[in-house]
Amino acid sequence: MEKRKRTIFWIIPIGVIGVFFYFFGPQKAVTDNDYITYIKATPVTENSTINTGDAFTNYCEKSRWEYFQTKMMEHVVEFKGECEYENTVQPINLQYVVEKGQTDYRLGAMLVNGEQQTEEQRTTFLNLLQ
């Protein structure tokens, strides 16, 4: 009987960890989605004639787009690529927060080589893409 109790005390925590990992563990990135298509089709800036998708394709290397939804139920499209910034090619992450129904969006965080940039730096970078 003693050995049986020990076994149960190991099975329950392992089961709980397994369920937690299943629901909250790493998930496959979504790379093709309506929200990504929406952002790629929008102009880079208000006065721009080139769309965001073409601008990043022409300016950056090894680029890819990902979609995810935050815990606050916000729809986020993130560009990841290697772009020329401050005279060197650096990894860039730029996020767009898209309204439900794809009626509008706002610019989110921009990381250059893992460091968050200011709004002014983000605007300067987007002006380079035009």
Side-chain angles (χ1 to χ4, degrees):
M1 194 70 154
E2 183 68 31
K3 187 170 179 113
R4 190 174 194 170
K5 282 184 179 178
R6 248 189 265 154
T7 305
I8 290 174
F9 286 129
W10 280 104
I11 291 174
I12 292 173
I14 290 172
V16 169
I17 290 170
V19 168
F20 183 80
F21 187 77
Y22 176 77
F23 285 107
F24 300 107
Q27 299 174 358
K28 187 176 179 183
V30 177
T31 57
D32 186 24
N33 164 304
D34 288 341
Y35 288 94
I36 293 173
T37 304
Y38 170 74
I39 289 298
K40 284 181 165 183
T42 61
V44 175
T45 59
E46 290 180 17
N47 304 329
S48 180
T49 58
I50 187 168
N51 65 35
T52 304
D54 291 340
F56 278 110
T57 301
N58 295 336
Y59 193 76
C60 301
E61 304 170 6
K62 299 180 184 174
S63 62
R64 73 177 202 257
W65 294 87
E66 292 183 5
Y67 164 82
F68 62 92
Q69 195 169 6
T70 66
K71 293 183 192 287
M72 302 293 289
M73 304 308 283
E74 292 180 314
H75 303 278
V76 179
V77 174
E78 182 174 34
F79 168 80
K80 295 181 178 185
E82 294 181 6
C83 309
E84 186 173 326
Y85 185 72
E86 296 179 348
N87 299 323
T88 59
V89 176
Q90 301 184 54
I92 303 273
N93 292 24
L94 179 61
Q95 294 181 342
Y96 295 86
V97 181
V98 183
E99 297 292 325
K100 188 174 183 178
Q102 302 165 10
T103 55
D104 198 14
Y105 71 93
R106 63 182 159 78
L107 290 169
M110 178 175 152
L111 302 175
V112 175
N113 208 13
E115 293 184 26
Q116 186 164 349
Q117 305 298 298
T118 65
E119 288 183 32
E120 293 81 20
Q121 291 169 316
R122 182 183 61 203
T123 303
T124 302
F125 174 72
L126 289 174
N127 287 332
L128 290 173
L129 298 176
Q130 297 187 57

